[in-house]
Amino acid sequence: MDRVSALDEPLKKTLGPATAKVMAEHLGLHTVGDLLHHYPRRYEERGQLTRLADLPLDEDVTVVAQVADSRVLTFNHGRGQRLEITLTDGSGRLQLVFFGRGLHKPQKDLPPGSRGMFAGKVSVFNRKLQLAHPTYVPLGRDDGEEAVDSFAGRLIPIYPACKGLESWKITKAVDAVLPRAVEAVDPLPPALREGRGFVPLPEALLKIHRPETRADIESARDRLKWDEAFVLQVALARRRYADAQLPAVARTPVADGILDAFDATLPFTLTEGQRKVTAEIFADLATEHPMHRLLQGEVGSGKTLVALRAMLAVVDAGGQAAMLAPTEVLAQQHHRSITEMMGGLAGGGMLGGAENATKVVLLTGSMGTAARRQALLDLVTGEAGIVIGTHALIEDKVRFHDLGLVVVDEQHRFGVEQRDALRSKGKQPPHLLVMTATPIPRTVAMTVFGDLETSVLDQLPAGRSPIASHVVPAQDKPHFLARAWERVREEVGKGHQAYVVCPRIGDDEDEKAKKKAKADDAEKRPPLAVLEVAEQLAKGPLTGLRVEVLHGRMQPDDKDAAMRRFGAGEVDVLVATTVIEVGVNVPNATAMVIMDADRFGVSQLHQLRGRVGRGSAPGLCLLVTDAPEASPARARLGAVATTLDGFELSRIDLEQRREGDVLGQAQSGVRSSLRMLAVIEDEEIIAAAREEAVAVVAADPELADSPELRTALDALLDAEREQFLDKG
């Protein structure tokens, strides 16, 4: 294990405390190994060493020359400054120019009489050859041929840098630790490495930091990407293997039970996708180890129905099912829609309840004491076969008679601890079904949710209507916004309803947001707020319509009442925050206007849009923005408007975000371990690494024969990250 310790050595020992502090605080680099895995972002080519008399135009060159003179000139009536330095090497002359704040350092570094090496692209200005803002290295009297050779004709690594630590300083720091690369422990089993023709890890590190050719960079990248994919997939494969060893009660549906009774009441047939996914889930439920399945489906594809049938199958088998929802609005909505779908089958123990009915209870943090006490009693006695709730389900006093299935809705909104706390309430580990309406590209599913088997619902039920989406540039074309409100009135005139979504609640709720917006040059005003917009609409373009608000600061009963009134058609326009993002189902709502749409993410816009077009009438979604036409924000909104394909939009979303976000860095609180691998682009590498990882873990679950791989797992997936990877 001594070989590992060299790479675990703190950087302050090698680089000094000041540099190490900046690296730790701004780049998250703490050890020699961290720095060796801080790879260049790109490489610049310096030309071969060139005499000043032979300089080619428009080409990258490197010259060694002496400073003949240096002067600062002003222009633009004294408002601008430029530094001009004239070089000579005996064969010719060359001018260097530096502008603005960038001129002070070279003026100090390059006094007349000093020597240096200079690299840049040759151009002509005022009939003189010049280099603008060249890269340079001052040369002392003792710097000989070796220093010159190391500078000229090389691929220059450009590192991800930060304030106070430019790329060239990182280059020097890497030079100091690069000799340690020979001590890097190679995680790949030798047979795998040789079979795929990879260079050894120390060689890959050397080539990525100090390549001599472009081919060096490619071979190093191939190897380092594979390492990241493989180590991550081994961690996930081990977790899947460990889960498969846990005992669980097999839950097989019985004939003529509550599931059959429920199916007999359905006024439609299941889609082919729903049947296929249900078969996968029922096969998992019938095994004696816990199901770990991710059910991802487009907005409105019928995930709730699939989950409900799985819960009823578990009730038939004598168990209980719990559905965990991220918000009270969504928990109440699920409870309402599930009890309505089940009819008399949800009236267990009550007058009018069907013969094989069960109780469906709701449990949220804001319930009254009596209702809460009754719900807890129904759970512990087994009276309630199904419970739907928020994080209140996780509290210590909640006890189940026999918890057989946990369904987690909108999985990305829950922390690991919350999911684990609910799972621990079963006598044996319950089966787990995780649902998300955010479509996840296959590669991301294999990395982020790699310990879950994946089912995809990509078919919309019959009778669903198309949704037309349009960008409304309110700043450029105010008449477009006026037309948007006319369209809302037209939809209401046809007997339909509309949503208006705003990013903020308003009132005095967050003065901080207003102050921040004032301080931020990019955002001239705070985001639009529900309370203000609702008032303006009711008094202005939507006068005479029944306008109500819905937001997260309302009392739970008031929220529920507002949703009920909207669902019953007693409200024409609901002005809301993103509390309506998931699960809200009002088939009569046909129009949605999203204010400040550029302040929402791509996936979030897709989720919101899915609230309309849920009935037989076509849906309309208007994305209102002040973003200028050529901005990235407008391009993003244009992408949302042009496709209803959630998988395509999720790719766009992920390509615009950092890789760390893709791996849920915000959830896990630790740095992403992916530095080289691009989850979206490297699909083939991830798929191949997963296959190899499964084979390695199946043959040797404890990795007893691969101590180097175990070491790499410990290094890359520290305790926090291991815990984060545990999606179940």
Side-chain angles (χ1 to χ4, degrees):
M1 294 303 281
D2 289 337
R3 294 193 306 144
V4 184
S5 57
L7 268 62
D8 285 340
E9 190 174 282
L11 282 171
K12 60 185 174 192
K13 277 193 173 181
T14 310
L15 305 178
T19 305
K21 187 178 181 206
V22 177
M23 284 197 167
E25 287 178 1
H26 295 285
L27 297 173
L29 306 176
H30 303 276
T31 66
V32 168
D34 289 343
L35 182 52
L36 285 174
H37 288 292
H38 185 69
Y39 307 129
R41 179 178 283 136
R42 59 188 169 85
Y43 301 83
E44 285 185 357
E45 295 193 47
R46 291 198 181 123
Q48 295 297 323
L49 209 54
T50 314
R51 291 184 345 130
L52 295 188
D54 304 327
L55 291 177
L57 265 179
D58 285 333
E59 280 192 27
D60 286 306
V61 299
T62 302
V63 299
V64 173
Q66 187 166 17
V67 176
D69 60 62
S70 167
R71 59 196 173 280
V72 175
L73 305 172
T74 59
F75 58 93
N76 200 6
H77 305 297
R79 287 198 293 273
Q81 285 189 315
R82 80 171 174 271
L83 170 67
E84 289 185 359
I85 294 174
T86 306
L87 301 181
T88 177
D89 69 347
S91 74
R93 294 170 85 78
L94 173 68
Q95 190 167 281
L96 312 181
V97 289
F98 299 87
F99 294 95
R101 294 182 198 158
L103 61 79
H104 302 299
K105 192 170 186 322
Q107 186 182 16
K108 194 174 80 176
D109 289 346
L110 303 168
S114 62
R115 278 174 80 239
M117 279 183 288
F118 307 89
K121 185 172 271 193
V122 182
S123 59
V124 173
F125 182 72
N126 278 349
R127 290 184 292 184
K128 288 182 183 172
L129 293 178
Q130 74 167 26
L131 301 180
H133 283 277
T135 309
Y136 65 88
V137 174
L139 289 175
R141 294 181 185 281
D142 303 330
D143 289 322
E145 290 296 314
E146 200 175 310
V148 174
D149 285 346
S150 74
F151 188 86
R154 288 290 175 94
L155 287 160
I156 308 305
I158 306 298
Y159 288 93
C162 63
K163 191 176 179 184
L165 206 60
E166 299 92 338
S167 175
W168 66 268
K169 284 185 182 168
I170 296 173
T171 301
K172 279 191 163 181
V174 169
D175 283 339
V177 301
L178 204 51
R180 313 274 186 87
V182 296
E183 300 175 59
V185 174
D186 198 325
L188 294 193
L192 194 159
R193 189 181 76 231
E194 287 155 20
R196 292 191 171 265
F198 289 131
V199 298
L201 180 58
E203 188 182 328
L205 290 170
L206 209 58
K207 283 181 169 177
I208 201 73
H209 289 293
R210 299 297 173 262
E212 293 187 5
T213 63
R214 291 276 170 193
D216 281 355
I217 299 169
E218 286 313 303
S219 72
R221 275 189 172 149
D222 288 349
R223 169 63 215 259
L224 296 167
K225 278 185 176 188
W226 181 272
D227 278 16
E228 289 179 2
F230 179 68
V231 172
L232 189 53
Q233 292 301 332
V234 167
L236 293 164
R238 288 185 79 196
R239 198 158 295 288
R240 286 195 303 274
Y241 181 86
D243 285 338
Q245 310 312 306
L246 292 172
V249 178
R251 309 283 180 174
T252 312
V254 296
D256 301 325
I258 190 169
L259 177 61
D260 283 352
F262 172 73
D263 285 348
T265 67
L266 286 178
F268 51 81
T269 55
L270 299 181
T271 65
E272 191 183 330
Q274 285 173 323
R275 283 200 296 272
K276 175 175 164 285
V277 167
T278 298
E280 292 169 351
I281 291 169
F282 282 14
D284 285 356
L285 289 174
T287 61
E288 294 188 347
H289 58 82
M291 166 173 77
H292 284 84
R293 189 165 284 278
L294 169 70
L295 171 57
Q296 53 169 320
E298 276 288 12
V299 177
S301 57
K303 292 182 302 299
T304 308
L305 178 63
V306 168
L308 174 56
R309 294 186 72 244
M311 292 195 285
L312 294 176
V314 168
V315 172
D316 270 344
Q320 291 169 292
M323 181 183 256
L324 186 60
T327 64
E328 292 209 349
V329 167
L330 187 52
Q332 287 162 341
Q333 175 78 22
H334 276 318
H335 182 254
R336 193 158 53 242
S337 62
I338 282 173
T339 48
E340 282 169 10
M341 284 162 77
M342 287 175 63
L345 293 170
M350 295 191 288
L351 283 173
E355 181 191 341
N356 46 6
T358 188
K359 250 191 187 180
V360 179
V361 300
L362 176 69
L363 189 63
T364 65
S366 61
M367 285 171 72
T369 311
R372 185 181 175 77
R373 190 178 292 130
Q374 184 60 52
L376 292 173
L377 188 63
D378 289 340
L379 287 180
V380 77
T381 59
E383 280 288 306
I386 295 175
V387 59
I388 295 148
T390 55
H391 55 272
L393 281 174
I394 295 162
E395 290 171 10
D396 286 346
K397 52 182 83 149
V398 179
R399 293 274 180 272
F400 288 85
H401 177 66
D402 181 11
L403 181 60
L405 172 66
V406 172
V407 178
V408 180
D409 193 20
E410 287 309 312
Q411 117 89 28
H412 59 281
R413 299 193 178 198
F414 291 99
V416 175
E417 298 80 7
Q418 291 171 305
R419 293 190 295 271
D420 281 351
L422 186 51
R423 281 181 68 201
S424 68
K425 292 181 179 293
K427 293 171 185 170
Q428 286 190 320
H431 298 281
L432 176 73
L433 179 65
V434 162
M435 299 198 299
T436 178
T438 305
I440 303 160
R442 176 170 168 261
T443 46
V444 181
M446 281 195 292
T447 45
V448 184
F449 302 104
D451 56 337
L452 301 172
E453 299 301 326
T454 304
S455 295
V456 179
L457 266 180
D458 51 11
Q459 200 181 2
L460 292 185
R464 275 301 168 88
S465 301
I467 305 169
S469 303
H470 304 282
V471 178
V472 178
Q475 191 88 6
D476 307 350
K477 300 176 180 172
H479 59 287
F480 275 37
L481 182 57
R483 176 69 187 125
W485 301 126
E486 284 174 21
R487 285 291 289 114
V488 169
R489 292 193 83 97
E490 287 166 15
E491 288 301 310
V492 173
K494 292 177 193 169
H496 299 306
Q497 294 160 277
Y499 298 100
V500 177
V501 180
C502 303
R504 207 163 56 85
I505 296 172
D507 206 359
D508 55 359
E509 134 257 4
D510 55 2
E511 285 301 319
K512 282 183 194 165
K514 291 187 180 180
K515 284 176 188 163
K516 181 182 180 298
K518 280 178 190 164
D520 189 344
D521 291 339
E523 295 179 3
K524 298 287 185 276
R525 59 165 176 76
L528 290 170
V530 166
L531 300 176
E532 292 151 22
V533 168
E535 189 179 349
Q536 289 162 10
L537 291 176
K539 289 178 180 172
L542 302 185
T543 307
L545 300 189
R546 297 168 297 177
V547 178
E548 280 207 24
V549 299
L550 177 69
H551 56 76
R553 250 195 7 259
M554 290 164 64
Q555 289 300 315
D557 289 349
D558 295 340
K559 278 191 281 196
D560 199 33
M563 270 315 302
R564 280 181 190 277
R565 283 195 297 276
F566 189 64
E570 296 163 17
V571 174
D572 298 320
V573 179
L574 189 67
V575 185
T577 55
T578 54
V579 292
I580 61 148
E581 182 185 341
V582 286
V584 173
N585 183 26
V586 180
N588 191 46
T590 55
M592 174 175 285
V593 182
I594 303 179
M595 308 302 291
D596 280 341
D598 50 286
R599 299 184 192 235
F600 297 96
V602 169
S603 294
Q604 200 171 24
L605 290 170
H606 184 57
Q607 292 288 317
L608 287 165
R609 172 172 60 185
R611 301 303 108 212
V612 295
R614 300 177 79 85
S616 54
L620 173 70
C621 180
L622 301 175
L623 307 167
V624 180
T625 178
D626 282 349
E629 192 165 0
S631 63
R634 275 284 280 279
R636 207 168 65 235
L637 295 181
V640 174
T642 51
T643 180
L644 291 170
D645 183 340
F647 285 91
E648 178 56 31
L649 288 174
S650 70
R651 284 185 81 92
I652 293 166
D653 199 15
L654 293 171
E655 280 161 7
Q656 291 178 343
R657 285 157 41 188
R658 295 194 329 274
E659 210 67 71
D661 292 339
V662 173
L663 290 181
Q665 194 169 329
Q667 281 192 57
S668 67
V670 292
R671 277 172 52 95
S672 161
S673 65
L674 298 195
R675 295 176 174 88
M676 185 67 74
L677 193 72
V679 170
I680 292 291
E681 294 159 27
D682 296 320
E683 181 166 340
E684 287 178 17
I685 294 172
I686 293 168
R690 181 175 170 122
E691 269 184 43
E692 294 278 14
V694 167
V696 166
V697 171
D700 180 14
E702 295 303 313
L703 304 180
D705 299 332
S706 308
E708 294 85 1
L709 178 53
R710 265 216 322 272
T711 301
L713 269 182
D714 294 342
L716 269 178
L717 306 168
D718 56 29
E720 277 182 284
R721 183 151 184 80
E722 279 276 19
Q723 188 185 28
F724 163 62
L725 283 169
D726 188 355
K727 291 284 173 231

